Amino acid sequence: MRLLLSFILLMISVSVAVPASHAAPLKRKVLVFYNGAEERTARSNLFVEGFAMPLNYFGILYEIRDINKRPLPDEKEMEQYLGVFTTFSDEIMVEPEEYLNWLIKQQKNNRKVIIAGNIGARRDLNDKNVDSALIKKVYSNLGFSWQGNATNARTRLLYDYVDQKQMNFERKLSLFPSRYIPIVPADEQAKSWVTVKIKGKPDSEGCVVGVSPNGGFALDGYIRWQDPVNYLKQWYLNPFEFLKQSLDLTGLPALTPTTLNGLRVAFAHIDGDGFAGYTEIDKNKNCGEIIMERIFARYDFPNSASVIAGEINPDVRGSLTNVELARTLFEMENIEPASHSYTHPFAWNEKLRDSPDYADSFVIGQYEKDGYKFNAKYEIVDSCEYISTDLAPPTRPCKTLFWSGMCDPTEDQVAIATKAGILNLNGGGTVFDARRNSYFGVSPLYRELGKESQIYTGQANENILTNLWEGPFFGFRNIVETMKRTGSPRRIMPIDIYYHFYSGEKFASLKALEDVYDWVVAQDCANIYASAYIKMVEGYLSGKIEIIDADNFVVTDYGNCLSLRLGGADKVPDLSRCKNVLGYDVQPEGIFVHLNPGKERAEVVLSSNLKVNSNFAYIKNGSGWIRDFQHSQRGVRFIFECFGKGKIVVGGLKPDQTYKVLGNNFSELEVRSNNGGEVVLQDVTSGPLEISLI
């Protein structure tokens, strides 16, 4: 009888679960096509400057290719892609009809297609026009009817309709429409954001920005504005909504490396430039000593500091004095050792480094040996090994490289770092302030380099905000505005205090740096080292999501990326049914779900009952890692790991009750939960904790 009962219970448990093999994998990558002749053209086009970051915000990755390099990917290769994004600078292409037929095939296979600007395939290299029926078919599959007969005669055009919720995002559309093509919605799911008509011509309305569940398009002139003098840009359309609707991302979970247990992550990383340099602040010291005394020793904050190995090593361009100074730096408790290469090459890309213009303007590296020829392994691996063996404490080896100069490594160079177990960071240059007032100034999280990825910084450094160190030397103070804008209303970047040791040269630059630290340490953040953030981005890149049904999805291979963001607030995780989910935090931009570290798989089950966890203890937020989380009869126990002193908020407890806190730096503390069933613990250090009802 017991065996029969056990068998029945087993069958019941199996019947309510959907087998993993039936789960639908969420495609997290978009294939991007451009038609530039050079790689650097591709990296500076409309997609990378504008759309890549919003895609990353939604947890979507990207891969960039030149459309003129054939063959086009086959169906097996395309299985990994959610859709195709095109950004072409003209209408000429190698074998355009082959491309259009391929694009139509992708649409038939339910891949989204986004056309930003020109369709790019009207003529071949011999200036022969393509069959217009193919172009019509592409737009028809999007849900629109393309009828040709375009015009750029602006004086003949008028706006017919502008969706004020989706357009005029950062800047109002120009007074006169710039282009017109008679494209009209062909089904009820296709929506026009902007329509334009010809003066005095009834029924001439044409859609110039449109979206549908199958994709979207936006003609040049309606995507962005660009200043003709300084080339600063602003959005006409809302890129977040354009991508969300065109790729049908509404309601999908998004991995995010900007967050740890509900709190925005914050770190500092310092390039080694100027470490042994002159400072006007104290004639008996150098910049490194000033930064150590005035910043590192003063602020209880994690700093990942690098040196240029060639400036330290007496066998290259260094000295024993520099060796002792570097050892003093790396012995500081809040310092994580990092390398800024061996010789500080300005260009890592061979094409630029070997070009006549580069040779006339820059040396290979500032700290190279006589007769030195560029060697990527020496710059990357050997510099880290030198720092580990000669400068850093044995318990804290150098495992992180901050790219130097133009921060333009190749795929092979990043692969050298990856193979050696070295993390990489730098590049991006995010600025979003009163002058550069646009999301166009915000970089994506990373740069795709074939099978490798270059991890970008959170914000720009002081060199950019001081006009390449020409002044004003207090300019870095303004990075706080960028930190604010990249955290709210959308948390698109971590907080990253990124600067060089030469910030210790001027009174103004040091004061600006102190102002930035003062603001950052006052924020409610999860303070971490740069290496931890890099690992979070790596987990973001490797993570996989399988959709079982509308209320159930599985996350695997997420590594150190422990946060998921859910776009709405109408459902919350049912924690009693979830697996390897520590808790969640409802915030204005959505719900951040916290995944259990060190696990290969997490399952999230949602409930429309927003009070489903009122008697089930969970982590609402915390400024560090939560490990070995377990429920007890009267509360919870876990191990907390953080930098310095942190904060933990536990929810799902009984309201207005007294709880006992044991372990860690609390010998025996009594706290009272609020009327929402939450207990807030401040000044928590790393170690085991237990919270139980008295």
Side-chain angles (χ1 to χ4, degrees):
M1 186 67 183
R2 289 180 180 176
L3 282 174
L4 178 60
L5 180 59
S6 299
F7 179 77
I8 293 172
L9 290 173
L10 175 62
M11 293 303 294
I12 292 174
S13 65
V14 170
S15 67
V16 297
V18 179
S21 60
H22 292 176
L26 176 62
K27 293 181 173 63
R28 295 188 59 223
K29 186 181 286 189
V30 168
L31 181 59
V32 181
F33 278 124
Y34 73 101
N35 59 355
E38 298 291 338
E39 180 189 9
R40 294 193 65 81
T41 302
R43 305 303 174 184
S44 62
N45 66 17
L46 175 62
F47 173 79
V48 173
E49 289 183 341
F51 285 105
M53 179 276 295
L55 260 187
N56 286 172
Y57 175 74
F58 289 115
I60 305 299
L61 315 180
Y62 63 90
E63 181 180 334
I64 300 175
R65 300 191 189 185
D66 184 349
I67 191 60
N68 292 315
K69 293 181 180 179
R70 304 299 171 91
L72 295 165
D74 59 23
E75 180 56 28
K76 183 177 181 180
E77 186 178 356
M78 287 302 297
E79 288 178 356
Q80 63 182 307
Y81 298 105
L82 167 66
V84 178
F85 185 107
T86 70
T87 169
F88 299 131
S89 57
D90 55 43
E91 298 284 10
I92 300 174
M93 182 185 295
V94 170
E95 299 182 357
E97 291 194 356
E98 178 194 40
Y99 162 72
L100 290 172
N101 280 310
W102 176 88
L103 193 63
I104 291 167
K105 182 179 179 181
Q106 304 314 310
Q107 293 176 310
K108 289 181 178 178
N109 290 334
N110 297 317
R111 292 188 184 91
K112 317 296 182 184
V113 169
I114 296 178
I115 302 170
N118 303 308
I119 196 169
R122 294 183 186 275
R123 301 187 303 278
D124 63 18
L125 298 184
N126 296 317
D127 208 31
K128 178 184 176 182
N129 290 333
V130 303
D131 182 357
S132 61
L134 294 175
I135 298 176
K136 290 181 178 179
K137 185 62 175 176
V138 171
Y139 280 99
S140 175
N141 290 338
L142 289 177
F144 294 85
S145 174
W146 181 86
Q147 301 170 18
N149 299 320
T151 180
N152 295 334
R154 303 184 68 177
T155 57
R156 297 180 56 206
L157 303 178
L158 292 172
Y159 290 108
D160 176 65
Y161 169 74
V162 176
D163 188 331
Q164 297 297 333
K165 290 184 179 180
Q166 314 298 354
M167 300 299 297
N168 301 325
F169 180 60
E170 293 177 342
R171 191 177 186 89
K172 288 186 177 181
L173 287 164
S174 58
L175 185 60
F176 297 103
S178 59
R179 294 185 64 189
Y180 167 81
I181 299 178
I183 303 173
V184 295
D187 63 56
E188 61 182 15
Q189 291 185 304
K191 307 296 181 183
S192 295
W193 283 12
V194 181
T195 57
V196 172
K197 63 183 179 181
I198 300 176
K199 292 179 183 178
K201 189 174 181 180
D203 301 323
S204 62
E205 296 85 1
C207 177
V208 294
V209 180
V211 299
S212 78
N214 301 323
F217 71 95
L219 302 185
D220 286 332
Y222 304 98
I223 300 173
R224 65 177 178 180
W225 168 86
Q226 179 171 290
D227 190 293
V229 177
N230 57 27
Y231 304 109
L232 293 178
K233 306 171 184 68
Q234 286 185 309
W235 287 102
Y236 289 136
L237 58 77
N238 183 332
F240 297 94
E241 281 299 316
F242 183 72
L243 291 172
K244 184 167 74 171
Q245 295 186 32
S246 297
L247 295 175
D248 197 19
L249 302 175
T250 302
L252 295 180
L255 282 163
T256 173
T258 66
T259 303
L260 177 62
N261 289 325
L263 298 180
R264 188 183 187 188
V265 299
F267 60 94
H269 85 281
I270 302 92
D271 285 351
D273 309 56
F275 177 67
Y278 164 81
T279 172
E280 63 185 35
I281 295 171
D282 187 334
K283 65 180 181 180
N284 296 315
K285 297 178 180 178
N286 57 30
C287 287
E289 292 173 294
I290 294 296
I291 294 297
M292 283 190 275
E293 292 177 3
R294 297 285 293 271
I295 301 297
F296 299 156
R298 176 182 171 190
Y299 294 96
D300 186 24
F301 191 81
N303 303 281
S304 299
S306 68
V307 294
I308 303 167
E311 183 185 29
I312 309 301
N313 190 343
D315 294 334
V316 186
R317 297 282 183 175
S319 66
L320 292 177
T321 300
N322 290 354
V323 168
E324 291 305 314
L325 185 63
R327 287 174 177 171
T328 301
L329 166 70
F330 293 136
E331 285 173 357
M332 300 185 76
E333 291 186 359
N334 61 342
I335 298 298
E336 175 183 64
S339 169
H340 197 41
S341 78
Y342 226 121
T343 73
H344 197 278
F346 183 82
W348 291 77
N349 190 298
E350 184 179 5
K351 292 180 181 178
L352 179 61
R353 191 174 60 250
D354 294 343
S355 69
D357 292 339
Y358 174 79
D360 292 342
S361 303
F362 306 100
V363 295
I364 291 177
Q366 294 172 282
Y367 303 98
E368 74 277 11
K369 300 177 183 178
D370 292 338
Y372 170 70
K373 292 184 179 180
F374 179 85
N375 182 313
K377 177 182 177 296
Y378 175 75
E379 299 289 352
I380 299 167
V381 180
D382 293 1
S383 68
C384 289
E385 288 182 353
Y386 171 72
I387 293 169
S388 295
T389 57
D390 285 49
L391 306 178
T395 56
R396 283 183 282 168
C398 176
K399 290 294 184 180
T400 307
L401 174 80
F402 301 151
W403 301 109
S404 62
M406 297 183 70
C407 302
D408 59 341
T410 65
E411 178 183 1
D412 290 343
Q413 290 163 358
V414 177
I416 289 172
T418 302
K419 184 178 180 180
I422 296 170
L423 305 168
N424 83 95
L425 181 69
N426 267 359
T430 289
V431 181
F432 188 5
D433 56 21
R435 178 175 176 268
R436 283 163 278 202
N437 185 18
S438 174
Y439 280 105
F440 266 108
V442 182
S443 78
L445 295 171
Y446 68 100
R447 178 166 73 112
E448 170 266 326
L449 289 168
K451 295 181 180 180
E452 302 293 335
S453 296
Q454 174 187 351
I455 312 303
Y456 277 157
T457 63
Q459 286 85 33
N461 59 49
E462 85 284 41
N463 194 44
I464 294 174
L465 292 171
T466 58
N467 297 306
L468 305 184
W469 205 240
E470 292 184 357
F473 293 107
F474 57 80
F476 192 52
R477 180 184 293 119
N478 294 333
I479 203 65
V480 169
E481 188 64 24
T482 296
M483 292 173 173
K484 291 177 180 178
R485 295 187 181 198
T486 53
S488 179
R490 301 171 184 85
R491 189 179 296 165
I492 53 179
M493 282 287 173
I495 289 176
D496 178 4
I497 312 176
Y498 172 30
Y499 58 101
H500 304 78
F501 276 103
Y502 57 67
S503 270
E505 177 185 339
K506 306 285 185 180
F507 284 98
S509 58
L510 182 62
K511 181 60 170 67
L513 191 56
E514 291 172 338
D515 290 346
V516 174
Y517 270 86
D518 285 338
W519 182 83
V520 172
V521 298
Q523 306 309 302
D524 190 12
C525 291
N527 297 334
I528 63 174
Y529 286 109
S531 63
Y533 171 70
I534 297 169
K535 291 176 182 179
M536 288 177 180
V537 179
E538 290 181 340
Y540 167 85
L541 295 171
S542 64
K544 299 178 180 63
I545 300 176
E546 291 182 309
I547 307 297
I548 296 177
D549 56 44
D551 296 330
N552 192 346
F553 53 90
V554 173
V555 191
T556 56
D557 298 331
Y558 55 84
N560 290 280
C561 186
L562 305 176
S563 290
L564 280 166
R565 190 188 63 255
L566 308 179
D570 57 333
K571 295 180 182 179
V572 297
D574 182 348
L575 297 173
S576 65
R577 300 169 61 200
C578 294
K579 295 180 181 178
N580 288 321
V581 175
L582 301 175
Y584 62 94
D585 195 3
V586 180
Q587 299 186 19
E589 64 179 302
I591 299 176
F592 287 92
V593 179
H594 323 323
L595 305 182
N596 200 353
K599 304 298 181 180
E600 296 181 356
R601 186 179 188 273
E603 183 172 348
V604 182
V605 181
L606 301 178
S607 172
S608 57
N609 178 9
L610 303 184
K611 297 182 179 181
V612 66
N613 303 302
S614 58
N615 290 304
F616 193 87
Y618 63 91
I619 300 298
K620 180 179 180 183
N621 61 61
S623 60
W625 288 266
I626 308 292
R627 306 186 189 278
D628 297 333
F629 186 83
Q630 299 176 29
H631 287 90
S632 62
Q633 287 185 339
R634 304 179 68 79
V636 291
R637 63 172 68 96
F638 53 87
I639 296 174
F640 185 55
E641 180 184 323
C642 69
F643 174 86
K645 293 183 178 180
K647 166 195 167 185
I648 303 171
V649 180
V650 178
L653 302 173
K654 294 183 180 298
D656 301 312
Q657 297 292 317
T658 300
Y659 283 82
K660 179 173 63 177
V661 182
L662 293 175
N664 203 299
N665 55 324
F666 305 110
S667 56
E668 186 169 336
L669 174 70
E670 291 186 1
V671 294
R672 194 163 182 84
S673 61
N674 60 25
N675 57 12
E678 298 172 355
V679 162
V680 180
L681 300 178
Q682 300 282 4
D683 298 327
V684 187
T685 58
S686 296
L689 274 175
E690 182 173 354
I691 303 171
S692 58
L693 184 65
I694 294 179

